[in-house]
């Protein structure tokens, strides 16, 4: 399967100068070819900077802690995967047979990684302004929709324990299942009393 150039231009909102970068960004390690991991590493950092910049400008009176909660929720694997699904990344990913059979095409982990790799490729190919524009186009409605900064579930539980005078929760992994790229964990949380 070769890269759909029309999809790529539409997704980028620009003409790519180095299509091989995007081929790599869309290639999973299971293919045995050069994969997306290095571009994902870079794209993760560019995404974080772009979202931090958007939040800093959008919420000028908000404290650092609240901005951090917003940032963490917006750069999560799940949100990156949602963006990937929305822009049609699933149809473009190159996977080896085993990864295809394991359902990697719809895995939040794989889709999230590929979206970050795409951001890395945009940054290398077209520069920081193009990468920021891509992030803004695909994340701004999520930023606009969030009226209040989300709380991480563990933080919320710990605050509840503190307010009720209870000891902090104890977390224990009780089971793991699934393929490595889509591992699912069951956690038991115990609060004394």
């Amino acid at each position: 399967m070769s890269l759909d150039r029309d999809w790529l231009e539409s997704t980028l909102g620009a003409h790519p100068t180095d299509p091989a970068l995007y081929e790599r960004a869309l290639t999973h390690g299971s293919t045995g070819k050069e994969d997306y991991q290095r571009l994902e590493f870079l794209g993760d950092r560019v995404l974080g900077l772009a979202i931090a910049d958007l939040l800093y400008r959008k919420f000028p009176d908000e404290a650092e802690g609240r901005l951090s909660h917003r940032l963490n929720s917006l750069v999560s694997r799940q949100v990156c995967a949602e963006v990937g699904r929305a822009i049609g990344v699933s149809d473009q990913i190159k996977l080896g047979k085993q990864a295809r059979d394991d359902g990697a095409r719809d895995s939040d982990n794989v889709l999230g990684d590929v979206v970050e790799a795409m951001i890395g490729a945009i940054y290398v190919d077209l520069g920081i302004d193009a990468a920021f524009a891509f992030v803004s186009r695909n994340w701004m409605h999520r930023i606009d929709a969030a009226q209040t900064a989300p709380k991480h579930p563990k933080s919320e539980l710990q605050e509840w324990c503190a307010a009720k005078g209870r000891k902090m929760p104890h977390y224990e992994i009780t089971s793991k299942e699934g393929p490595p790229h889509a591992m699912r964990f069951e956690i038991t949380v115990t609060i004394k009393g």
Side-chain angles (χ1 to χ4, degrees):
M1 175 173 87
S2 73
L3 181 62
D4 181 337
R5 301 287 175 98
D6 292 335
W7 171 83
L8 182 60
E9 279 196 37
S10 170
T11 300
L12 299 181
H15 181 73
T17 62
D18 186 356
L21 276 170
Y22 303 96
E23 290 271 358
R24 189 175 324 132
L26 292 159
T27 301
H28 189 263
S30 63
T31 62
K33 298 178 182 171
E34 190 172 11
D35 66 24
Y36 59 66
Q37 289 184 343
R38 285 179 47 84
L39 286 168
E40 175 213 347
F41 167 81
L42 180 60
D44 177 56
R45 276 72 186 167
V46 174
L47 173 62
L49 179 59
I51 294 294
D53 182 71
L54 289 168
L55 292 172
Y56 181 83
R57 294 172 195 283
K58 174 87 175 162
F59 303 101
D61 299 324
E62 214 163 72
E64 179 272 338
R66 295 181 65 77
L67 291 172
S68 290
H69 283 299
R70 287 182 189 276
L71 181 126
N72 290 336
S73 71
L74 289 163
V75 300
S76 71
R77 183 72 60 228
Q78 181 182 356
V79 171
C80 290
E82 288 170 8
V83 169
R85 287 183 184 94
I87 64 175
V89 163
S90 295
D91 295 334
Q92 304 299 322
I93 300 174
K94 292 165 191 60
L95 299 163
K97 182 183 180 336
Q98 186 63 50
R100 281 193 309 271
D101 292 348
D102 288 344
R105 191 169 304 284
D106 197 43
S107 160
D108 279 3
N109 289 336
V110 172
L111 287 171
D113 288 351
V114 169
V115 166
E116 290 175 346
M118 289 284 296
I119 293 167
I122 296 166
Y123 173 78
V124 171
D125 184 36
L126 301 172
I128 197 161
D129 290 341
F132 273 38
F134 175 85
V135 171
S136 182
R137 267 193 319 278
N138 291 289
W139 268 265
M140 198 59 186
H141 70 281
R142 289 171 168 78
I143 292 170
D144 289 339
Q147 297 302 312
T148 60
K151 283 189 178 178
H152 189 281
K154 283 177 80 173
S155 298
E156 197 166 353
L157 183 58
Q158 288 173 346
E159 288 174 17
W160 181 88
C161 287
K164 301 288 184 186
R166 304 270 173 95
K167 289 191 175 192
M168 287 295 109
H170 172 74
Y171 301 91
E172 183 180 343
I173 297 174
T174 50
S175 73
K176 296 188 259 187
E177 61 182 43
H181 66 271
M183 187 72 70
R184 297 182 66 81
F185 296 88
E186 181 177 293
I187 312 282
T188 299
V189 180
T190 307
I191 301 169
K192 190 167 182 154

